[in-house]
Amino acid sequence: MTAALQTIERKSGPVDQPATAAIIWMHGLGADANDFVPLVPELELRGRDGSPLSIRFVFPNAPTIPVTINGGMSMRAWYDILHMDIGGGSGANPIAAPREDEKGLRASQAMVDALIAAQVATGIPASRIFLAGFSQGAAMTLMTGLRQPERLAGLIVLSGYLPLAAHLTGERHPLNHDVPIFMAHGTYDPVVRIERAMQSRDLLVKLGYAVDWHSYPMQHSVCGEEVAAIGAFLRRVLDPK
């Protein structure tokens, strides 16, 4: 049985109005569920008529595990990082990425699958559920979302990369072959190099995915312009013309 993740929940829109969509937002290595909670009001989630959108935000805590690059120290992580070159590739080939913690990635995928199922059980259809994440959380967004057997609303990938890229062709689910993907990255990111993110983007585009790509002059972080673009992406998908 998959262990349940601890979560923090917030909702946009009127307090007395039930959520009609959900965003499961995953933090990065060593952070926790509180990391992106302050972002909710900054997204300015309103429909085209100006009315606020009722969206449930679910911020899960990653499991606490030993992390190799930190000398085996335990911290919140979606999977182990086995080398300093996080998300590094070989030349322009994302398939040739260095050794990854496949067992950890797949275990966390099962946990995120359970979070999706829990939201569906509340009455929110999978087609109104987004996965979002930063760094490791972004990797988990792609890891889980592209393999999800129910069509999702969209994927938000911030300062991350595509893990287990060599397995994607055989494991991706056809129901999410056209899921909207928002990808954003800092041009000066020293943790997950932008070249690695671009390799991931290019592979996704080659496989037919619709990728909305953004880059910003920042390091391994999030900026105001990026937050505005995320809000616009969410509004466009949730309240199309």
Side-chain angles (χ1 to χ4, degrees):
M1 181 180 294
T2 301
L5 295 171
Q6 297 175 328
T7 62
I8 293 173
E9 293 192 7
R10 295 288 187 271
K11 193 181 81 66
S12 65
V15 175
D16 59 348
Q17 198 173 94
T20 59
I23 302 174
I24 298 170
W25 203 306
M26 292 165 277
H27 62 76
L29 176 66
D32 63 25
N34 294 285
D35 207 24
F36 282 89
V37 172
L39 209 66
V40 174
E42 295 182 32
L43 293 170
E44 299 182 357
L45 296 175
R46 294 182 175 275
R48 295 183 184 278
D49 63 357
S51 61
L53 298 173
S54 289
I55 302 172
R56 181 183 300 128
F57 287 79
V58 180
F59 300 97
N61 272 322
T64 299
I65 63 172
V67 176
T68 299
I69 62 165
N70 288 330
M73 182 183 299
S74 291
M75 62 186 62
R76 294 201 180 279
W78 295 105
Y79 51 90
D80 192 12
I81 299 293
L82 304 172
H83 45 78
M84 292 301 296
D85 190 15
I86 301 175
S90 175
N93 184 6
I95 299 298
R99 190 164 54 98
E100 296 178 271
D101 176 19
E102 181 174 349
K103 181 178 179 181
L105 281 157
R106 295 194 187 280
S108 285
Q109 178 191 342
M111 295 178 193
V112 180
D113 283 340
L115 291 176
I116 295 170
Q119 292 307 305
V120 171
T122 69
I124 297 177
S127 61
R128 298 281 290 178
I129 297 175
F130 293 83
L131 293 184
F134 176 79
S135 194
Q136 269 203 342
M140 286 311 308
T141 293
L142 290 173
M143 176 75 187
T144 308
L146 301 179
R147 293 167 172 81
Q148 182 60 213
E150 293 186 84
R151 176 61 152 79
L152 298 174
L155 309 178
I156 299 171
V157 182
L158 311 178
S159 302
Y161 63 97
L162 176 66
L164 301 186
H167 297 273
L168 180 59
T169 300
E171 296 180 356
R172 63 188 181 134
H173 200 283
L175 284 183
N176 279 294
H177 76 281
D178 62 345
V179 63
I181 302 174
F182 178 98
M183 289 186 74
H185 215 93
T187 54
Y188 306 121
D189 193 331
V191 179
V192 179
R193 301 190 311 274
I194 191 169
E195 291 81 7
R196 181 66 180 103
M198 292 169 67
Q199 290 164 10
S200 297
R201 175 203 63 190
D202 293 347
L203 177 59
L204 292 171
V205 170
K206 183 178 179 180
L207 291 174
Y209 292 100
V211 180
D212 184 3
W213 170 261
H214 300 258
S215 62
Y216 303 96
M218 63 181 184
Q219 297 192 15
H220 198 59
S221 58
V222 176
C223 66
E225 187 179 355
E226 180 181 17
V227 173
I230 296 167
F233 172 78
L234 289 168
R235 290 191 296 272
R236 184 168 68 249
V237 175
L238 287 171
D239 191 17
K241 292 181 180 178

